[in-house]
């Protein structure tokens, strides 16, 4: 549950630009964590929403179908985290291997932009749903 620093908010923009800017870390922060702790079972999850959403009661949260994106090279660890997410009232979305955390971290930056830059507040979230059944 980690995200990159927002340039212009968390740290000064090295290019001196005004406003908020979101760098794309490659490798992702999750991949770097896995490299730094090779024996850890790393699962990228819960980084696309503010802590206020995580703290909501299951009955209030579940009807919104809020997505928790899961990336890991360890399928069993990912299933455990998915189960925890769903127990809390989220919808676990398996995004594949840990390399895909690069995409998820970018989604997190977009949500943080909605919360901060668009001033939607800490309850802005994303729910990925299909309009048609497969």
């Amino acid at each position: 549950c980690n995200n990159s620093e927002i340039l212009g908010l968390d740290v000064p923009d090295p290019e001196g630009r005004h406003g908020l800017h979101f760098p794309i870390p490659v490798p992702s922060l999750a991949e770097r964590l896995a490299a730094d702790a090779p024996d850890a079972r790393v699962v990228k999850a819960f980084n696309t929403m503010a802590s206020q959403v995580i703290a909501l009661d299951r009955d209030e949260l579940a009807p919104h179908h809020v997505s928790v994106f899961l990336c890991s090279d360890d399928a069993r660890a990912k299933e455990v985290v998915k189960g925890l997410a769903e127990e809390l009232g989220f919808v676990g979305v398996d995004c594949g291997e840990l390399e895909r955390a690069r995409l998820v971290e970018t989604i997190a930056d977009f949500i943080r932009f909605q919360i901060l830059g668009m001033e939607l507040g800490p309850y802005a979230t994303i729910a990925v749903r299909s309009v048609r059944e497969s």
Side-chain angles (χ1 to χ4, degrees):
C1 187
N2 57 2
N3 291 306
S4 59
E5 296 173 319
I6 299 173
L7 303 180
L9 177 69
D10 299 321
V11 296
D13 185 311
E15 297 177 26
R17 299 173 291 180
H18 295 296
L20 304 177
H21 301 277
F22 299 84
I24 299 172
V26 177
S28 69
L29 296 171
E31 289 172 294
R32 292 193 318 218
L33 175 62
D36 289 345
D39 295 328
R41 299 173 70 192
V42 176
V43 179
K44 182 67 171 193
F46 292 105
N47 70 307
T48 58
M49 77 252 342
S51 61
Q52 290 90 332
V53 174
I54 296 171
L56 289 174
D57 183 78
R58 185 185 202 298
D59 293 335
E60 184 178 3
L61 179 64
H64 297 285
H65 306 280
V66 176
S67 298
V68 169
F69 302 104
L70 304 148
C71 303
S72 183
D73 293 336
D74 185 321
R76 286 188 351 176
K78 188 170 24 174
E79 280 302 313
V80 168
V81 175
K82 182 179 182 187
L84 293 170
E86 292 174 352
E87 210 175 292
L88 293 170
F90 294 97
V91 176
V93 178
D94 187 337
C95 295
E97 300 166 346
L98 197 58
E99 180 180 284
R100 301 252 178 95
R102 298 171 188 183
L103 298 170
V104 173
E105 290 176 6
T106 303
I107 292 168
D109 285 342
F110 175 73
I111 296 299
R112 291 164 67 206
F113 172 70
Q114 297 301 310
I115 291 169
L116 300 167
M118 300 302 292
E119 300 179 1
L120 294 180
Y123 296 99
T125 63
I126 188 166
V128 175
R129 300 173 75 184
S130 177
V131 297
R132 288 193 176 162
E133 293 294 319
S134 299

